Amino acid sequence: MTGMTDYKTLTAQLAALVEGENSLIPVLANASALLFQTLNDINWAGFYIVTDGELLLGPFQGKVACVHIPLGRGVCGTAAATDSVQRVADVHKFDGHIACDSASNSEIVIPLHKNGSVFGVLDIDSPVFSRFTEADETGLSEFARVLDGMLEKV
């Protein structure tokens, strides 16, 4: 796909994948594959799940990743602890950044919710500085809301 990402279509594809599905791991695995195959200029797409007071690596596409991330640490831990989207143009300037892949230069992290609480995060990395725009943030937030709806059922 070239040019701007068609998030409406991407979100519709995810909605079709999760329809009638009650198993979390396959849904997150397919969601990460969908993102990895669709988005340009990314090198990692996946999930971390809040487990025993930290973020634990979930399904993903990309290079080997950090398994444990403390809440409040790095981009993912900050997104989970503050329940806010983190869109970082240069991860090397982010205080406490955890460098799982030194090729990553920008990142966006979107919290996922279940029963009104942070369940985990969607994490996408890019080797391109300032890769993620406001349009990406809006589109990926809508994508994440589909997952939130599925999480309410499992």
Side-chain angles (χ1 to χ4, degrees), residues 1 3 8 26-27 29 34 43-44 55 79 94 100 106 117-118 132 134-135 143-144 154:
M1 187 176 237
K8 185 175 182 180
V27 166
L34 181 61
N43 59 342
W44 202 90
L55 290 172
F94 190 92
C100 296
S106 64
S117 297
V118 175
F132 302 103
E134 189 173 326
F143 186 90
V154 297

Side-chain angles (χ1 to χ4, degrees), residues 32-88:
S32 62
L34 181 61
L35 291 167
F36 197 75
Q37 293 170 7
T38 304
L39 299 178
N40 291 324
D41 298 321
I42 67 166
N43 59 342
W44 202 90
F47 299 92
Y48 282 92
I49 309 301
V50 176
T51 308
D52 298 328
E54 68 175 1
L55 290 172
L56 185 64
L57 180 64
F60 70 93
Q61 299 277 312
K63 291 185 179 181
V64 171
C66 303
V67 175
H68 303 272
I69 298 178
L71 292 176
R73 182 149 178 255
V75 181
C76 288
T78 298
T82 62
D83 191 9
S84 62
V85 173
Q86 299 294 307
R87 181 166 42 106
V88 181

